[in-house]
Every structure is written in C-alpha cells, then in structure tokens.
C-alpha cells in the first residue's frame, strides 16, 4: 500500500539525465535520512519534498523508498536555501555565491532574487553585471523547471527541457503546446519519435496532415543522414507508412503537399518509367550545382599555372631527382604532369603507392613560379598531417572558405578564392554539400587536384563525391598501384592491399605491426580490447593509451560495439576520483580527462564532425565543459553536450581521414551486417605503426569477401555524364542551409 514521506532533500547521489531516474537522500521531519529512488528530474538539494511510494530493499544499496509521485515546495529554511542555490542547477551560482547571498538575506533570499533583484547590489562585491546575470539565471531556471514538469508529465525525458529552452527561449512552452513537430525539425537531438510522443499526448490525431508531413520529412532526413542524396519515392512512402502506422495513399497525398510547398524536390530516375527520387531541396541544389561546377571546370581552356604538355618534362623530372631526391615512377610522372596541365585531376591509390611523394613533386615544381596555392583537407587532423608530410601550410576546407558570423562562408561565387591551384587531400571524405561550397568559390581558371583513396568507405555526410567523379570520366584520373619497397616492408600496407584484392590478411609470427587475438565471444573480445589498450600495447610498444591508441568498431551496439567499449574503457582509463569533476548527460557521464569526439559541424566554435579532443575541466557553477581540441580550448554549455560523445572507441566511419599510431579493431560475426571489404580496408589503413584485430578469422573472411558496398542513392555521376540535368532549381534558402550544416 502506498505510503508518504516528507522532508528536505539533503543531496542527489545519482541521476540519469535521459530518464530522470534519481537517487536522493531526504531528511524527514524527524531528522532521519531516507534514500529515495525514482523519476525525479527536477528535484534538487534543499527543496522540501512530499513523496508517495513504497518501501523496497535494493540488493546492493539496502532499504529505499521507491517514489511513484511527488510534490516540491521551495526551501524555506536557511540551510535548505543554501543547498538549493549551491546545487549547480542555476547557472552562475555556486557554493561561494550561495553562501554570500544566504548570509546576507537569510530566509528572504529566494524572494529577493525573484521580486527585488536590484537588492542583490547590497551584497559586497556584487555589481550591476553580476546582479543582472543572477536575475537572468534565476528566470531561466524557473522556466526550465516548468518545461521539465511539462515534459515529464507527458512521458518525455525531462533533460530535453534545457535544449528546448536554449532554442526557443520564452516561447518554448508555446511551441511545445502548439506545434511539437517543430522540435524534430529545429532542435538537434530531438527526433520525430520524441516529438510524436508529445503530439499524441496533446491529442494531435494519427492522420493529422502535420503528423504525416513531419513523418515523411523525418524518414527522408534520416536516410540522407546515412549518406543518401535522395530516396526512391516508393521506398520513402513504404518506410513512412510503416513509421506512421497509416496506409500508403495517405502518405502519398502528404508527399504531394510537401512537393507543392517546395519542401521536397522530386525528379524521375533514369532507367525507370515510374520511379522518382525524392530529395531534400538543399541536397538537390548541391548535387546539381556540383555537377554544373565540375563540368564547367573540366571544360575550362584557360589555366592559371604556367605549364603545358609541350614543356620539357623529362628535364623537370631529372631536376626533381637531382635537387630533391624525388625519383618518380612512370605513373607518378603522369600524375604530376596531369595535375599541372589539366584543369581537373584525380590522384588515387592505396597506402604505400606514393601519393604523398607525387604531391611533394607537384609542390616542388610550383616553387618559384609565383603561383597562389591552397592546400586543404576535410578535417583538422588530416590538414595537420598534410602540412607535416609536404612541408607546406595546409588547413581545413572550412577554414579556407572562412565561416562568417551570419552563418555563411566568406568566399563564394561573388568573392572567389585567390588561388591558381587547389589541392584537396583525403578527398574520399569529401561529401557533396561541402564540395559545393568549395567549388562555387573557385576562379574559372583555378586548377584542381583531388587526392584520395577511392577504395575507402564513402564520406559520413551525403553523397559519394570522389567515387562518382572518378566513374563519370569528367576528370583526368591517375591510379597509383605499385607498392614501393620501403612501404612493402610494412605488414600493415601489405595486408591492406591483400584485403583490397579480396585476400585474407596474413599474421606472421615474426610480425611486429599486425596481430590477431582470436576469440568468438563478444564479451571476451571486449575484455581483450580493454586489456590491450590499458596494459599490453603501452607496455610492449611504449604507446600512450589515450593519445596513441584508437579503438575502431564496425557497429555501435553489442558487447564489442562503440557504446559498451566506451563505457568499459572510460572506467579503465579515466575512473572517477575525489576532486575530479564529472557530470552525467543523458546515458553517459563526462569527467575531466575524458577523450571525446564532436558529432556535427559547429562553425561558430570551428569544430567539425569527427574532431577528437580531451575534457580539461567541468565548471558546474557556470555550467560549461572545456575541451582541448588540438591547439584550442573550446567551451560547451551543458545544453550543448549532444554535440559530444566519448571517443575511447569510435566507428570506422568516423575514423576516416585520420591516422593513429595504433588501431585496435574488434571484428566478430555478430557484426555481419557491417562486415564489408572497404570497412576493414579503411580501418587497417588508419594505422601508422600497429594494427591489432580482436575476433574471429571467420568474421575477417566475411569482410574480405564482401566486396559489395552498401548502395548510396546519388545521381551525381549521371549528371556529370550529361544524362540528367545539372541545372539547380530555385536558390538555397536559410532553412536549407540549417538543414545541412
């Protein structure tokens, strides 16, 4: 039978931000401490609480009161107010400021902040700026708490209140009540299913036009987030009908409304009389624009560089050998000559085939020619490595283009980049939207060289730019295939090429850089991964477990997946300790020292999808996490932590463009859906010094012999070949830019 307890909350022992499940200590009216457990997302230390529930005995934590419902009253004692303000729930108010406020105002502190905030100036060392900050933080806290209660009462995670408030401010409650589907469109980290749960609770009917259109948009965006540029109409209708639990004709009618309103673009697919491709407007614009810009570039007859096919190339190559020690193969010579005499060139090849040497030869021949050169890569790490191996300054594409405060790039078709030659390394990572922003900013005479390994995984973002460009025949393509002697001594490179040819990698007993730890069991594989990263590899090879070793996984789920391995590796490499700040966010905890990864492009912070850094500090009072990203410290508000995830283990897809001294890769038959040759090839080629596979030979064989990569819906190749229009429709609007960035 339900019982009731009441008293003052002394402390919060544990809280899961995604569910609101909380363990707290309550001191009842007789002064006896009681452990409470239940969903209490808005409960903080210091508040008075009346809880209804039942007594229970936890096998580990003993007697607890399981809370089924509760009521909160603001604290009315001096000590309660002190704990409440110092709880970290109110931005900018920590223990020191809480003590000063309560010491001055006593039991009237909360009333003063609420009704007479100007009186805060009476407290020593509080000026107008600090007073205004406290007033705004209190107002924000009250509004967020109201949103928490609203979300919790409708069965949604209360922690979403912070991000909803950050997006809509004082209009947040109005948006929740009137158009919950806006959350799925406009708030990062809130998808259609969450918004639909709230909408159904609010009485929006199952066949509401708003619901159907939101569901279609969700399916389209979700599939494009998997790398597709468009979705076949029949597949989109089928998937949306299943999600929405309605009949296909209703979805078809809603899709027609979206098309008429310009919210999707539909285009007949080649070799099909009935099927159409459905694009988000921005992706259609990007694909058609990239095709137009590449074709214009390839057809350009006026070149910026002072080279021609009739030059004495033999003499130039002898000079490279004599002065720089650069001895080039015939294929490398072809690549150098093509890059310097053609408007659009692709240099591709596997590891150890001399792409870097070829690139250095191109750069050496440009010396003294008074040429304006731009050397870029898609990620910060790739740009840094490019600069190291060439000796020339390199940067990310985003930095080259210059992100501006109004949300666009500094360089575009109206203000083109002053470059005679553009070299893009790691071009296999280049997605179609980013390629658009880069290509539109070029002068007509700029010569472009794309360098990359086309056999790696396609980019994380939409499209398969490099592969489509190569297959289209528009660019001059040079493939390097010869493995040079120095590279051939590496088991990593030899095995990478064996995998590429569909052959099993070899694990010779005397190998010092390529190992297999055999196991069929996922749990044992997870144990081995932790043991290798924490002890074995650092002890034998002198590598740092955090800075030098990267665990790559085919999948997120499972015992040997990204999520579980991150939890295990965090516990092993960065356990909690007295004085080490930490904070729980959703289903994971961040603490100082953690290795983390950025999950989406943030142009204002200049951090991008896949960037890896380390948490240096967590300021509970200011509600800010500080992350060291390469040479910069980047602040994240607590409401922005959806942008971050633990990075002790990451997916193979997220590793593209990066290199690590050592790679540890669990590979098991339970990963069968992701076991593909290009995935294994990409993982192995991420390592410079050491590869350790953990798993079964059968799983390795499955990956090696599965040469059919997952299909990506894209029509860039057809547009480049002139088989489909390459003329963009309309213009790129603000909403489209938000959608893709």
């Amino acid at each position: 039978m339900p019982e009731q307890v009441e008293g003052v909350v002394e402390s919060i022992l544990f809280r899961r931000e995604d569910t609101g499940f909380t363990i707290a200590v309550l001191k009842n009216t007789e002064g006896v401490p009681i452990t409470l457990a239940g969903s209490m997302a808005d409960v903080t230390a210091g508040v008075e609480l009346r809880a209804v529930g039942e007594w229970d005995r936890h096998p580990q934590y003993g007697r607890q009161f399981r809370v089924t419902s509760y009521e909160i009253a603001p604290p009315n004692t001096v000590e309660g107010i002190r704990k409440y303000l110092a709880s970290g729930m109110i931005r900018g108010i920590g223990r020191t400021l809480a003590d000063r406020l309560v010491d001055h105002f006593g039991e009237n502190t909360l009333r003063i902040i609420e009704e007479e905030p100007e009186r805060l100036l009476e407290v020593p060392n509080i000026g107008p700026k600090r007073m205004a900050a406290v007033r705004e933080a209190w107002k924000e806290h009250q509004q967020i708490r109201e949103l928490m209660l609203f979300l919790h009462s409708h069965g949604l995670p209360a922690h979403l209140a912070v991000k909803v408030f950050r997006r809509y401010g004082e209009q947040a409650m109005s948006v929740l009540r009137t158009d919950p589907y806006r959350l799925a469109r406009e708030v990062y980290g809130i998808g259609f299913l969450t918004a639909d749960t709230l909408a159904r609770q609010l009485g929006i009917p199952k066949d509401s036009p708003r619901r159907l259109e939101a569901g279609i948009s969700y399916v389209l965006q979700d599939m494009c987030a998997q790398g597709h540029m468009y979705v076949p109409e029949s597949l989109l209708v089928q998937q949306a009908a299943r999600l929405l639990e309605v009949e296909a004709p209703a979805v078809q009618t809603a899709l027609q409304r979206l098309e008429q309103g310009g919210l999707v673009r539909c285009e007949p697919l080649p070799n099909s009389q009935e099927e159409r491709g459905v694009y988000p407007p921005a992706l259609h614009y990007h694909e058609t624009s990239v095709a137009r810009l590449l074709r214009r570039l390839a057809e350009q007859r006026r070149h910026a560089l002072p080279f021609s096919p009739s030059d004495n190339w033999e003499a130039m190559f002898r000079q490279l050998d004599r002065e720089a020690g650069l001895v080039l193969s015939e294929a490398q010579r072809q690549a150098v000559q093509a890059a310097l005499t053609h408007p659009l060139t692709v240099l591709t090849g596997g590891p150890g085939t001399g792409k870097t040497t070829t690139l250095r030869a191109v750069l050496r021949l440009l010396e003294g020619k008074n040429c304006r050169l731009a050397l870029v890569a898609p990620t910060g790490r790739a740009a840094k490595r490019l600069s190291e191996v060439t000796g020339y300054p390199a940067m990310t594409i985003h930095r080259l283009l210059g992100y501006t405060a109004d949300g666009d790039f500094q360089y575009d078709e109206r203000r083109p980049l002053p470059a005679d030659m553009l070299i893009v390394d790691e071009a296999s990572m280049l997605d179609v939207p980013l390629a658009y922003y880069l290509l539109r900013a070029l002068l007509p005479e700029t010569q472009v060289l794309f360098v990359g390994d086309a056999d790696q995984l396609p980019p994380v973002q939409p499209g398969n730019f490099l592969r489509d460009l190569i297959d289209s025949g528009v660019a001059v393509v040079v493939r390097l295939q010869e493995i040079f002697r120095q590279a051939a001594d590496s088991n990593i490179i030899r095995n990478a090429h064996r995998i590429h040819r569909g052959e099993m990698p070899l694990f010779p007993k005397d190998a010092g850089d390529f190992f297999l730890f055999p196991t069929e069991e996922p749990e044992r594989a997870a144990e081995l991964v932790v043991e290798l990263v924490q002890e074995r590899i650092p002890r034998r090879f002198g590598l740092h477990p955090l800075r030098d070793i990267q665990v790559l996984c085919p999948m997120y789920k499972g015992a040997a997946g990204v999520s579980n391995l991150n939890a295990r590796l965090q516990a092993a490499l960065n356990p909690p300790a007295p004085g080490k700040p930490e904070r729980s966010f959703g289903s994971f905890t961040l603490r100082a020292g953690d290795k983390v990864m950025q999950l989406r492009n943030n142009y204002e912070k200049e951090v991008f999808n896949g960037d890896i850094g380390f948490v240096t500090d967590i300021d509970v009072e200011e509600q800010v996490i500080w992350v060291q990203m390469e040479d910069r410290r980047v602040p994240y508000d607590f409401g922005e932590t959806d942008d971050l995830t633990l990075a002790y283990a990451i997916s193979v897809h997220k590793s593209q463009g990066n290199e690590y001294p050592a790679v540890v890769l669990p590979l098991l038959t339970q990963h069968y859906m992701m076991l593909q040759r290009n995935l294994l090839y990409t993982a192995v080629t991420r390592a410079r010094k050491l590869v350790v596979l953990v798993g079964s030979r059968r799983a390795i064989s499955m990956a090696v012999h599965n040469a059919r990569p997952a299909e990506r819906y894209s029509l860039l190749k057809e547009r480049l070949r002139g088989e489909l229009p390459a003329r963009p429709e309309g213009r790129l609007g603000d909403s489209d830019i938000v959608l893709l960035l």
Side-chain angles (χ1 to χ4, degrees):
M1 182 172 177
E3 297 186 40
Q4 179 174 293
V5 297
E6 57 183 286
V8 176
V9 176
E10 287 285 297
S11 61
I12 304 297
L13 301 179
F14 172 81
R15 172 169 288 143
R16 274 191 63 124
E17 298 290 339
D18 56 340
T19 63
F21 179 78
T22 301
I23 299 176
V25 175
L26 176 111
K27 186 174 286 187
N28 69 12
T29 52
E30 299 173 357
V32 178
I34 297 172
T35 301
L36 305 180
S39 182
M40 299 177 285
D42 59 328
V43 171
T44 60
V47 299
E48 292 192 5
L49 188 73
R50 180 181 296 113
V52 176
E54 296 180 349
W55 290 100
D56 187 21
R57 180 164 294 278
H58 191 278
Q60 184 176 352
Y61 300 109
R63 195 167 186 251
Q64 296 179 340
F65 189 78
R66 287 275 173 181
V67 178
T68 56
S69 63
Y70 61 91
E71 294 179 3
I72 293 178
N76 58 15
T77 66
V78 169
E79 282 309 303
I81 294 171
R82 194 186 304 273
K83 288 182 179 180
Y84 182 65
L85 290 177
S87 66
M89 293 290 287
I90 305 171
R91 182 194 298 266
I93 301 181
R95 179 162 297 280
T96 301
L97 182 56
D99 285 342
R100 288 163 56 201
L101 293 172
V102 174
D103 288 345
H104 190 85
F105 295 115
E107 294 181 357
N108 292 316
T109 302
L110 298 185
R111 184 187 63 80
I112 295 295
I113 296 174
E114 176 80 30
E115 300 175 8
E116 303 177 79
E118 65 279 358
R119 288 191 55 192
L120 297 177
L121 296 172
E122 299 173 11
V123 181
N125 299 320
I126 291 186
K129 187 175 180 180
R130 190 67 181 272
M131 179 270 291
V134 170
R135 180 184 60 201
E136 287 305 309
W138 175 260
K139 182 179 178 182
E140 175 183 306
H141 170 67
Q142 296 296 90
Q143 290 175 317
I144 289 175
R145 185 170 177 273
E146 183 183 359
L147 291 172
M148 281 183 166
L149 291 172
F150 179 82
L151 291 171
H152 182 68
S153 68
H154 289 85
L156 294 177
H159 77 280
L160 297 178
V162 175
K163 64 175 60 182
V164 172
F165 182 80
R166 294 277 187 270
R167 176 66 178 83
Y168 300 113
E170 294 183 359
Q171 302 300 315
M173 186 63 75
S174 173
V175 171
L176 289 177
R177 292 183 181 279
T178 59
D179 190 4
Y181 292 111
R182 282 183 63 183
L183 303 178
R185 297 194 303 269
E186 300 172 354
V187 182
Y188 177 72
I190 297 182
F192 171 81
L193 297 178
T194 300
D196 194 44
T197 299
L198 177 58
R200 301 301 297 277
Q201 289 269 342
L202 294 173
I204 294 178
K206 191 175 182 178
D207 58 353
S208 163
R210 273 189 300 168
R211 180 175 185 266
L212 299 183
E213 292 166 16
I216 295 169
S217 297
Y218 166 77
V219 173
L220 180 59
Q221 293 300 323
D222 184 58
M223 294 192 70
C224 290
Q226 298 171 36
H228 301 296
M229 294 296 295
Y230 71 88
V231 179
E233 184 174 10
S234 60
L235 178 61
L236 177 62
V237 170
Q238 177 190 39
Q239 298 279 14
R242 182 180 303 144
L243 171 75
L244 295 163
E245 298 179 332
V246 297
E247 297 299 321
V251 174
Q252 196 74 54
T253 301
L255 179 60
Q256 290 171 2
R257 288 196 300 270
L258 289 173
E259 182 180 6
Q260 291 165 1
L263 298 175
V264 298
R265 292 264 194 274
C266 298
E267 185 172 359
L269 296 180
N271 304 318
S272 175
Q273 295 185 353
E274 297 182 359
E275 187 70 280
R276 299 191 303 170
V278 182
Y279 287 81
L283 290 186
H284 186 268
Y285 188 92
H286 289 148
E287 185 177 270
T288 52
S289 295
V290 164
R292 174 180 56 84
L293 292 166
L294 284 173
R295 288 173 61 179
R296 185 182 72 179
L297 184 64
E299 294 164 2
Q300 179 62 240
R301 297 185 179 275
R302 184 162 57 95
H303 303 161
L305 299 180
F307 296 93
S308 74
S310 61
D311 290 343
N312 189 346
W313 288 95
E314 187 62 36
M316 283 190 263
F317 291 134
R318 284 198 301 270
Q319 184 179 2
L320 283 174
D321 183 4
R322 185 174 61 252
E323 297 181 359
L326 293 172
V327 182
L328 304 181
S329 68
E330 183 58 34
Q332 288 175 309
R333 290 183 174 200
Q334 292 175 10
V336 170
Q337 186 173 345
L340 295 175
T341 60
H342 286 85
L344 180 60
T345 307
V346 175
L347 172 61
T348 186
T353 56
K355 294 191 298 296
T356 299
T357 299
T358 306
L359 191 51
R360 288 170 56 205
V362 169
L363 295 171
R364 184 66 183 240
L365 289 177
L366 287 172
E367 288 182 1
K369 300 295 185 182
N370 195 29
C371 296
R372 300 168 297 178
L373 174 69
L375 198 58
V376 298
T379 68
R381 281 196 174 194
K384 183 178 180 181
R385 188 178 63 83
L386 179 60
S387 183
E388 291 170 351
V389 299
T390 62
Y392 286 79
M395 65 184 72
T396 64
I397 295 171
H398 305 90
R399 185 161 291 181
L400 173 72
L401 295 175
Y403 181 72
T404 59
D406 60 0
D408 206 346
F409 290 106
Q410 181 180 353
Y411 292 102
D412 55 21
E413 60 273 11
R414 296 181 300 275
R415 186 185 178 190
L417 287 162
D420 298 314
M421 185 170 199
L422 170 70
I423 298 176
V424 183
D425 196 22
E426 293 290 354
S428 64
M429 294 182 63
L430 186 59
D431 56 77
V432 170
L434 185 55
Y436 161 72
Y437 289 110
L438 179 62
L439 292 168
R440 72 169 182 171
L442 298 182
L443 291 164
E445 64 270 21
T446 300
Q447 292 175 237
V448 181
L449 171 62
F450 291 107
V451 183
D453 186 347
D455 295 313
Q456 291 189 29
L457 288 169
V460 175
Q461 300 293 338
N464 200 353
F465 174 83
L466 184 62
R467 171 56 63 190
D468 285 346
L469 176 58
I470 291 172
D471 292 346
S472 71
V474 167
V476 175
V477 178
V478 180
R479 302 175 189 270
L480 301 181
Q481 296 178 311
E482 178 185 352
I483 305 175
F484 289 93
R485 183 179 58 79
Q486 185 178 2
D489 293 336
S490 164
N491 287 293
I492 296 174
I493 290 177
R494 282 206 299 263
N495 278 330
H497 285 274
R498 288 182 63 86
I499 292 166
H500 179 248
R501 294 193 300 267
E503 301 170 9
M504 283 287 286
L506 301 177
F507 303 94
K509 291 183 179 180
D510 60 347
D513 59 356
F514 208 96
F515 299 89
L516 170 65
F517 283 74
T519 181
E520 299 277 353
E521 299 298 324
E523 283 293 337
R524 178 57 184 153
E527 292 171 2
L528 277 170
V529 167
V530 174
E531 185 181 329
L532 285 161
V533 174
Q534 186 179 20
E535 299 175 7
R536 292 199 187 189
I537 295 176
R539 185 171 61 239
R540 176 169 175 181
F541 297 95
L543 297 175
H544 192 279
L546 291 179
R547 293 192 301 270
D548 299 330
I549 306 171
Q550 184 61 60
V551 177
L552 304 180
C553 303
M555 297 180 68
Y556 282 86
K557 296 180 180 180
V562 170
S563 301
N564 185 57
L565 286 176
N566 265 323
R568 287 192 180 221
L569 288 165
Q570 182 191 42
L573 301 176
N574 190 32
K580 182 187 290 186
E582 66 174 51
R583 180 85 178 189
S584 293
F585 299 98
S587 58
F588 70 101
T589 296
L590 287 181
R591 62 178 64 101
D594 273 336
K595 186 177 185 179
V596 294
M597 181 173 62
Q598 176 77 12
L599 290 175
R600 63 170 181 154
N601 293 343
N602 187 317
Y603 294 90
E604 292 183 12
K605 296 183 188 294
E606 292 189 27
V607 289
F608 303 102
N609 190 351
D611 285 356
I612 288 179
F614 293 88
V615 176
T616 57
D617 190 26
I618 299 176
D619 188 332
V620 176
E621 181 173 325
E622 295 297 331
Q623 299 184 2
V624 172
I625 296 170
W626 288 93
V627 178
Q628 189 73 33
M629 291 282 190
E630 295 290 342
D631 56 350
R632 297 185 307 118
R633 285 182 83 223
V634 181
Y636 290 81
D637 287 347
F638 282 4
E640 297 176 311
T641 52
D642 272 352
D643 283 6
L644 296 173
T645 189
L646 294 175
Y648 299 95
I650 64 175
S651 71
V652 177
H653 284 80
K654 287 286 189 181
S655 74
Q656 291 169 259
N658 291 323
E659 281 192 348
Y660 315 97
V663 163
V664 178
L665 175 70
L667 212 63
L668 299 156
T669 52
Q670 73 167 180
H671 299 146
Y672 69 94
M673 291 184 64
M674 298 298 294
L675 294 180
Q676 298 168 351
R677 184 183 298 173
N678 60 352
L679 181 138
L680 178 56
Y681 175 80
T682 299
V684 167
T685 55
R686 297 308 89 209
R688 290 197 300 269
K689 298 179 181 179
L690 177 67
V691 170
V692 181
L693 303 184
V694 179
S696 70
R697 290 182 183 272
R698 182 169 174 237
I700 297 170
S701 177
M702 289 169 66
V704 166
H705 293 102
N706 181 10
R708 188 175 67 183
E711 181 181 6
R712 284 204 167 183
Y713 297 120
S714 168
L715 294 176
L716 178 60
K717 178 176 63 178
E718 288 78 5
R719 296 186 200 280
L720 286 170
R721 289 175 173 172
E723 298 169 7
L724 284 173
R727 186 180 300 107
E729 294 182 19
R731 59 182 296 276
L732 202 59
D734 292 341
S735 62
D736 296 329
I737 294 174
V738 171
L739 167 74
L740 289 162
L741 300 187

